[in-house]
Amino acid sequence: MHWLITIPSLVCGLAISVTDLRRRIVPRPWVMAGVAVQCAVFLAVGIRSHDLWPFVCACFGLMGAVGVQLSLAMAIPRHALGLGDVTASGMAGFATGYFGLECFLWFWLCMGVLGVGWVPAYSVYSRVRSRGRTGDGVGRLRVPFVPVIATAAALAVMCCT
C-alpha cells in the first residue's frame, strides 16, 4: 500500500487525461499543481521517515522524463508530441522516480507498450466516429497521449510497490 502516497499524481493524471481526451489540451497549471502537491507529500513522508533519498530520486525522475520526452518532441517531425505531453511525462516521472530506477524504467516500458496499441486504436475510433459528419475529413489526427502516460505511470507504480 506504499503506492498510496502517489494519489495526488494519480488524481491529477486522471483529470488531465479527461481534458486531453475532450479538448486535446493539457492544462499546465493543473500539472504544476499536481507536481507541487506531490512534492509536498513526498517531502512530508521523507522528513517523517528521516530519508530524503526517495525524494531526490523523484526529482531525478522528473528531470529525466522531461528530458527524454522533450528530446523526442524535438526529434519527431510534424509536432507529434506537444509540450503538454512533456509536462505530463514530468509529473509521471516524478511519481515513478520516487520508487527508484526500476519503477522509472517500468514506466517507460509500459508507456511504449500501451502507446503502440493506443495510437492505432484511437485512429480507427476517430475515423469511425467522424463518419457522416460534414467537412472534407482531411487533416492531421491529433491523438491524445496523456491517458497513455497516466495509465503507464499507474501501472508502473502498482507493479513496483
Side-chain angles (χ1 to χ4, degrees):
M1 296 272 270
H2 196 58
W3 62 271
L4 286 173
I5 62 173
T6 61
I7 284 182
S9 290
L10 293 173
V11 170
C12 187
L14 178 65
I16 63 174
S17 293
V18 169
T19 305
D20 193 28
L21 281 168
R22 289 187 175 182
R23 298 189 213 152
R24 303 299 178 275
I25 59 169
V26 178
R28 284 184 217 41
W30 290 12
V31 175
M32 295 304 130
V35 169
V37 172
Q38 189 65 67
C39 181
V41 170
F42 284 164
L43 272 174
V45 170
I47 290 169
R48 186 163 190 259
S49 66
H50 302 289
D51 184 18
L52 288 176
W53 180 246
F55 176 74
V56 173
C57 290
C59 292
F60 284 136
L62 183 139
M63 291 184 293
V66 167
V68 169
Q69 200 77 335
L70 189 60
S71 299
L72 288 172
M74 297 237 181
I76 296 175
R78 295 182 285 138
H79 305 288
L81 292 171
L83 190 58
D85 296 329
V86 174
T87 55
S89 292
M91 183 183 65
F94 190 60
T96 57
Y98 182 83
F99 298 104
L101 181 62
E102 181 182 355
C103 188
F104 184 74
L105 295 176
W106 270 106
F107 160 63
W108 284 98
L109 178 69
C110 290
M111 188 166 53
V113 170
L114 292 172
V116 164
W118 173 255
V119 172
Y122 188 82
S123 299
V124 170
Y125 166 75
S126 180
R127 272 192 231 116
V128 168
R129 191 173 135 231
S130 66
R131 280 192 190 156
R133 292 187 181 175
T134 58
D136 58 1
V138 178
R140 186 179 68 139
L141 176 66
R142 295 176 57 201
V143 178
F145 204 70
V146 174
V148 172
I149 295 169
T151 305
L155 285 174
V157 166
M158 284 188 234
C159 288
C160 293
T161 58

